[in-house]
mmCIF file of all heavy atoms in Angstrom:
data_model
loop_
_atom_site.group_PDB
_atom_site.id
_atom_site.type_symbol
_atom_site.label_atom_id
_atom_site.label_comp_id
_atom_site.label_asym_id
_atom_site.label_seq_id
_atom_site.Cartn_x
_atom_site.Cartn_y
_atom_site.Cartn_z
ATOM 1 N N VAL B 262 6.048 11.558 2.986
ATOM 2 C CA VAL B 262 7.307 10.815 2.827
ATOM 3 C C VAL B 262 8.045 11.111 1.540
ATOM 4 O O VAL B 262 9.141 11.452 1.525
ATOM 5 C CB VAL B 262 7.058 9.322 2.934
ATOM 6 C CG1 VAL B 262 8.436 8.542 2.640
ATOM 7 C CG2 VAL B 262 6.541 8.861 4.282
ATOM 8 N N PHE B 263 7.230 11.121 0.441
ATOM 9 C CA PHE B 263 7.855 11.188 -0.837
ATOM 10 C C PHE B 263 7.847 12.551 -1.511
ATOM 11 O O PHE B 263 8.480 12.693 -2.613
ATOM 12 C CB PHE B 263 7.253 10.097 -1.768
ATOM 13 C CG PHE B 263 7.689 8.787 -1.401
ATOM 14 C CD1 PHE B 263 6.872 7.837 -0.775
ATOM 15 C CD2 PHE B 263 8.953 8.287 -1.856
ATOM 16 C CE1 PHE B 263 7.197 6.608 -0.338
ATOM 17 C CE2 PHE B 263 9.398 6.972 -1.515
ATOM 18 C CZ PHE B 263 8.580 6.211 -0.797
ATOM 19 N N GLN B 264 7.284 13.541 -0.969
ATOM 20 C CA GLN B 264 7.516 14.860 -1.518
ATOM 21 C C GLN B 264 8.979 15.245 -1.266
ATOM 22 O O GLN B 264 9.636 14.651 -0.436
ATOM 23 C CB GLN B 264 6.576 15.864 -0.756
ATOM 24 C CG GLN B 264 5.150 15.804 -1.336
ATOM 25 C CD GLN B 264 4.942 16.247 -2.760
ATOM 26 O OE1 GLN B 264 5.592 15.720 -3.651
ATOM 27 N NE2 GLN B 264 4.045 17.177 -2.946
ATOM 28 N N PRO B 265 9.494 16.199 -2.067
ATOM 29 C CA PRO B 265 10.852 16.477 -2.078
ATOM 30 C C PRO B 265 11.366 16.873 -0.663
ATOM 31 O O PRO B 265 10.786 17.482 0.171
ATOM 32 C CB PRO B 265 11.040 17.701 -2.941
ATOM 33 C CG PRO B 265 9.845 17.614 -3.782
ATOM 34 C CD PRO B 265 8.697 17.023 -2.940
ATOM 35 N N THR B 266 12.667 16.381 -0.420
ATOM 36 C CA THR B 266 13.392 16.876 0.770
ATOM 37 C C THR B 266 14.822 17.163 0.386
ATOM 38 O O THR B 266 15.292 16.736 -0.716
ATOM 39 C CB THR B 266 13.466 15.651 1.859
ATOM 40 O OG1 THR B 266 13.885 14.515 1.214
ATOM 41 C CG2 THR B 266 12.100 15.439 2.451
ATOM 42 N N TYR B 267 15.499 17.901 1.232
ATOM 43 C CA TYR B 267 16.767 18.380 0.917
ATOM 44 C C TYR B 267 17.796 17.273 0.624
ATOM 45 O O TYR B 267 17.914 16.258 1.443
ATOM 46 C CB TYR B 267 17.390 19.313 1.957
ATOM 47 C CG TYR B 267 16.582 20.522 2.079
ATOM 48 C CD1 TYR B 267 16.514 21.173 3.299
ATOM 49 C CD2 TYR B 267 16.090 21.196 0.986
ATOM 50 C CE1 TYR B 267 15.850 22.344 3.585
ATOM 51 C CE2 TYR B 267 15.316 22.439 1.225
ATOM 52 C CZ TYR B 267 15.249 22.992 2.412
ATOM 53 O OH TYR B 267 14.595 24.144 2.616
ATOM 54 N N SER B 268 18.648 17.422 -0.337
ATOM 55 C CA SER B 268 19.838 16.644 -0.406
ATOM 56 C C SER B 268 20.876 17.238 0.405
ATOM 57 O O SER B 268 20.645 18.137 1.151
ATOM 58 C CB SER B 268 20.239 16.659 -1.898
ATOM 59 O OG SER B 268 20.686 17.869 -2.325
ATOM 60 N N VAL B 269 22.135 16.620 0.319
ATOM 61 C CA VAL B 269 23.203 17.056 1.166
ATOM 62 C C VAL B 269 23.371 18.588 1.075
ATOM 63 O O VAL B 269 23.810 19.306 2.129
ATOM 64 C CB VAL B 269 24.444 16.367 0.844
ATOM 65 C CG1 VAL B 269 25.440 16.406 2.010
ATOM 66 C CG2 VAL B 269 24.170 14.894 0.570
ATOM 67 N N GLU B 270 23.243 19.134 -0.144
ATOM 68 C CA GLU B 270 23.516 20.560 -0.362
ATOM 69 C C GLU B 270 22.517 21.463 0.419
ATOM 70 O O GLU B 270 22.763 22.648 0.462
ATOM 71 C CB GLU B 270 23.590 20.818 -1.737
ATOM 72 C CG GLU B 270 24.685 20.115 -2.529
ATOM 73 C CD GLU B 270 24.266 19.579 -3.870
ATOM 74 O OE1 GLU B 270 23.117 19.005 -3.973
ATOM 75 O OE2 GLU B 270 24.920 19.674 -4.849
ATOM 76 N N GLY B 271 21.434 20.916 0.822
ATOM 77 C CA GLY B 271 20.434 21.755 1.616
ATOM 78 C C GLY B 271 19.546 22.612 0.701
ATOM 79 O O GLY B 271 19.184 22.276 -0.405
ATOM 80 N N SER B 272 19.329 23.809 1.331
ATOM 81 C CA SER B 272 18.182 24.653 0.798
ATOM 82 C C SER B 272 18.136 24.823 -0.736
ATOM 83 O O SER B 272 19.096 25.021 -1.481
ATOM 84 C CB SER B 272 18.359 26.008 1.368
ATOM 85 O OG SER B 272 17.233 26.822 1.197
ATOM 86 N N CYS B 273 16.941 24.553 -1.220
ATOM 87 C CA CYS B 273 16.689 24.710 -2.650
ATOM 88 C C CYS B 273 17.301 23.529 -3.547
ATOM 89 O O CYS B 273 17.108 23.398 -4.712
ATOM 90 C CB CYS B 273 17.145 26.002 -3.333
ATOM 91 S SG CYS B 273 16.241 27.384 -2.687
ATOM 92 N N HIS B 274 18.002 22.668 -2.841
ATOM 93 C CA HIS B 274 18.500 21.431 -3.591
ATOM 94 C C HIS B 274 17.831 20.170 -3.049
ATOM 95 O O HIS B 274 17.955 19.933 -1.857
ATOM 96 C CB HIS B 274 19.998 21.352 -3.427
ATOM 97 C CG HIS B 274 20.750 22.481 -3.988
ATOM 98 N ND1 HIS B 274 21.143 23.656 -3.362
ATOM 99 C CD2 HIS B 274 21.194 22.687 -5.289
ATOM 100 C CE1 HIS B 274 21.777 24.460 -4.180
ATOM 101 N NE2 HIS B 274 21.750 23.881 -5.360
ATOM 102 N N TYR B 275 17.104 19.548 -3.969
ATOM 103 C CA TYR B 275 16.296 18.437 -3.534
ATOM 104 C C TYR B 275 16.850 17.158 -3.895
ATOM 105 O O TYR B 275 17.519 16.997 -4.884
ATOM 106 C CB TYR B 275 14.886 18.660 -3.858
ATOM 107 C CG TYR B 275 14.137 19.726 -3.083
ATOM 108 C CD1 TYR B 275 14.031 20.985 -3.585
ATOM 109 C CD2 TYR B 275 13.655 19.453 -1.895
ATOM 110 C CE1 TYR B 275 13.418 21.990 -2.815
ATOM 111 C CE2 TYR B 275 13.020 20.330 -1.111
ATOM 112 C CZ TYR B 275 12.925 21.647 -1.527
ATOM 113 O OH TYR B 275 12.371 22.570 -0.782
ATOM 114 N N ARG B 276 16.651 16.219 -2.894
ATOM 115 C CA ARG B 276 17.119 14.873 -3.110
ATOM 116 C C ARG B 276 16.608 14.256 -4.467
ATOM 117 O O ARG B 276 15.540 14.360 -4.760
ATOM 118 C CB ARG B 276 16.490 14.043 -1.919
ATOM 119 C CG ARG B 276 16.984 12.664 -1.677
ATOM 120 C CD ARG B 276 16.258 12.177 -0.463
ATOM 121 N NE ARG B 276 16.708 12.888 0.754
ATOM 122 C CZ ARG B 276 17.701 12.508 1.561
ATOM 123 N NH1 ARG B 276 18.379 11.483 1.238
ATOM 124 N NH2 ARG B 276 17.954 13.381 2.533
ATOM 125 N N ARG B 277 17.612 13.582 -5.099
ATOM 126 C CA ARG B 277 17.245 13.068 -6.433
ATOM 127 C C ARG B 277 16.481 11.811 -6.398
ATOM 128 O O ARG B 277 15.574 11.543 -7.235
ATOM 129 C CB ARG B 277 18.596 12.841 -7.244
ATOM 130 C CG ARG B 277 19.071 14.078 -7.759
ATOM 131 C CD ARG B 277 20.074 13.754 -8.929
ATOM 132 N NE ARG B 277 19.410 13.364 -10.162
ATOM 133 C CZ ARG B 277 19.734 12.302 -10.938
ATOM 134 N NH1 ARG B 277 20.629 11.515 -10.557
ATOM 135 N NH2 ARG B 277 18.960 12.110 -11.942
ATOM 136 N N ASN B 278 16.821 10.927 -5.491
ATOM 137 C CA ASN B 278 16.311 9.616 -5.572
ATOM 138 C C ASN B 278 15.751 9.136 -4.145
ATOM 139 O O ASN B 278 16.386 8.288 -3.563
ATOM 140 C CB ASN B 278 17.379 8.652 -6.081
ATOM 141 C CG ASN B 278 16.791 7.291 -6.425
ATOM 142 O OD1 ASN B 278 15.649 6.994 -6.240
ATOM 143 N ND2 ASN B 278 17.648 6.465 -6.845
ATOM 144 N N PRO B 279 14.684 9.688 -3.741
ATOM 145 C CA PRO B 279 14.231 9.293 -2.370
ATOM 146 C C PRO B 279 13.972 7.817 -2.288
ATOM 147 O O PRO B 279 14.217 7.145 -1.277
ATOM 148 C CB PRO B 279 12.958 10.137 -2.251
ATOM 149 C CG PRO B 279 12.528 10.495 -3.561
ATOM 150 C CD PRO B 279 13.779 10.600 -4.363
ATOM 151 N N LEU B 280 13.424 7.233 -3.345
ATOM 152 C CA LEU B 280 13.132 5.801 -3.323
ATOM 153 C C LEU B 280 14.379 5.025 -3.041
ATOM 154 O O LEU B 280 14.455 4.148 -2.207
ATOM 155 C CB LEU B 280 12.457 5.394 -4.675
ATOM 156 C CG LEU B 280 11.852 3.973 -4.725
ATOM 157 C CD1 LEU B 280 10.795 3.828 -3.570
ATOM 158 C CD2 LEU B 280 11.136 3.765 -5.943
#
Side-chain angles (χ1 to χ4, degrees):
Chain B
V262 174
F263 284 101
Q264 283 293 55
T266 50
Y267 293 145
S268 63
V269 201
E270 294 139 319
S272 197
C273 296
H274 293 97
Y275 284 95
R276 191 177 293 271
R277 283 199 74 227
N278 189 2
L280 189 54

